[in-house]
Amino acid sequence: MWHATENYILSKDYTAFTIDKWSELNPKGFAYYQDATQTDPNQKWTLYNSAIEDIYFVDSYACVDQKEDRARIMEFIMAYEDESKVLIKSPHIRKKLETMCSAVRNTFDTSGWENVRWERLL
């Protein structure tokens, strides 16, 4: 669902998720794999391999590209209650989710939207 949402957002505002803006939310020197067959299950900066303050990505699949990064964040926030409570403690994940939620709010008519699931932990 996030991929469809993001495509709609970008059709209305192609600057909502620029490569440069999103890269600022990642660790210095990090580059996405750009190839899903090259993921590393021991990738640092992930939920499963880092301290809370060092988490930038849900898992190594989120390191494929920035679209997958955003999709994995939204998937965990929406579907994995226990993991999302840990994940949101990361200041980097929180900033990414805030950026995504802002794009949703700026693109869709959200009047009357209260207590939406993807914002519940912010």
Side-chain angles (χ1 to χ4, degrees):
M1 291 301 295
W2 176 256
H3 289 300
T5 301
E6 180 170 328
N7 286 341
Y8 184 79
I9 290 168
L10 292 172
S11 76
K12 299 296 181 186
D13 178 9
Y14 68 91
T15 67
F17 302 115
T18 66
I19 292 171
D20 291 338
K21 282 187 204 175
W22 193 259
S23 292
E24 291 174 7
L25 303 175
N26 289 332
K28 193 172 189 98
F30 172 79
Y32 287 103
Y33 300 135
Q34 301 301 326
D35 181 349
T37 66
Q38 300 299 312
T39 61
D40 176 2
N42 296 312
Q43 171 69 51
K44 63 182 178 176
W45 304 308
T46 65
L47 174 61
Y48 305 108
N49 293 313
S50 295
I52 291 292
E53 62 276 4
D54 296 325
I55 297 171
Y56 286 83
F57 308 99
V58 171
D59 56 17
S60 65
Y61 191 74
C63 298
V64 169
D65 62 39
Q66 60 175 269
K67 286 187 173 200
E68 292 303 339
D69 187 4
R70 290 187 287 270
R72 293 296 283 164
I73 290 169
M74 191 58 74
E75 177 182 354
F76 270 65
I77 295 302
M78 295 292 289
Y80 299 104
E81 192 75 28
D82 292 340
E83 290 89 343
S84 67
K85 287 177 182 175
V86 175
L87 195 59
I88 200 63
K89 292 178 183 177
S90 160
H92 310 293
I93 295 293
R94 178 176 287 275
K95 183 66 177 164
K96 286 180 176 185
L97 181 60
E98 288 170 350
T99 300
M100 295 163 64
C101 290
S102 178
V104 169
R105 292 270 180 196
N106 290 335
T107 305
F108 293 89
D109 176 6
T110 61
S111 55
W113 288 18
E114 296 178 23
N115 302 318
V116 292
R117 185 163 177 83
W118 55 89
E119 292 178 348
R120 77 189 191 287
L121 298 174
L122 293 176

